[in-house]
Amino acid sequence: MGTKTVDEAVDANGTEAKSDEETVNATKTDEAPDAEDQDDLDAEALEGEDTPEAEKGTPGVGQGAAAVVSAGLGVVSLTGSWVATVAAARETLVGQLGTSSTASVAKQVKEVYGDAWATTALVGGLFALAALIVGVVVLVRPAFGAPGKPQAPWIKSVAWAGVSLGVIGLVLAVAKYSDIILGLPSTS
């Protein structure tokens, strides 16, 4: 018989003998991982995550922001905006340029002031409509979201405020545009 190496060694029972290194490796796998191995496992687990922790910890941030935007648009529809001011000033200038000095007073008032008033009402109505649409989308959003995730109460409250302001702004814009509120004075 020839000499056997460690790899070929067989004990009396017929099982292969293992080297000390193999025994140590087998023991390590049976035990809990050491600190270095645990850090590697933690890093691998973090790499597999799709969403950052900030998104997981703050649900409804987009809905809350949209609710605040809705309320802001509703307030702008009631108080006016620089867009409406610029559009009204432009309409006044167009009315002045398009009306001759020999035109009747009624035509001059309508062209210079009436059209500007209607333009202001139109822009206010557009802001009100935007507030209404954004508020309704925020309120309806949970029906299409992930089940089991309730919407925060403050988001609902602010969205309802935006919807309410949008409705009021829309009613006032229609009333101003159709001269129900503050119509042009009679020139006859």
Side-chain angles (χ1 to χ4, degrees):
M1 274 195 157
T3 332
K4 292 190 176 186
T5 63
V6 176
D7 293 337
E8 298 173 347
V10 177
D11 65 2
N13 295 333
T15 58
E16 291 184 18
K18 295 183 180 179
S19 68
D20 289 339
E21 190 174 289
E22 289 174 342
T23 307
V24 169
N25 285 340
T27 312
K28 271 191 177 179
T29 57
D30 294 341
E31 296 175 1
D34 61 358
E36 186 177 301
D37 292 338
Q38 185 63 37
D39 289 342
D40 291 340
L41 292 174
D42 291 342
E44 288 175 11
L46 287 176
E47 288 175 5
E49 292 183 7
D50 293 277
T51 58
E53 288 296 320
E55 288 180 14
K56 287 183 179 179
T58 53
V61 171
Q63 292 178 24
V68 171
V69 166
S70 173
L73 288 170
V75 168
V76 168
S77 75
L78 295 175
T79 61
S81 68
W82 66 269
V83 175
T85 303
V86 169
R90 182 184 184 286
E91 197 61 40
T92 299
L93 181 61
V94 168
Q96 288 173 349
L97 293 173
T99 306
S100 67
S101 58
T102 59
S104 69
V105 174
K107 181 171 171 75
Q108 287 179 357
V109 168
K110 183 199 174 303
E111 290 293 326
V112 175
Y113 301 106
D115 290 348
W117 180 251
T119 301
T120 302
L122 182 65
V123 172
L126 291 175
F127 275 100
L129 185 63
L132 184 64
I133 290 171
V134 171
V136 167
V137 167
V138 170
L139 290 172
V140 173
R141 171 65 174 99
F144 300 104
K149 288 189 176 183
Q151 193 174 43
W154 73 268
I155 294 174
K156 288 181 183 178
S157 299
V158 175
W160 274 113
V163 168
S164 301
L165 290 170
V167 168
I168 293 168
L170 203 53
V171 168
L172 289 175
V174 168
K176 286 187 328 187
Y177 190 83
S178 60
D179 289 336
I180 294 172
I181 297 177
L182 302 171
L184 289 175
S186 175
T187 56
S188 52

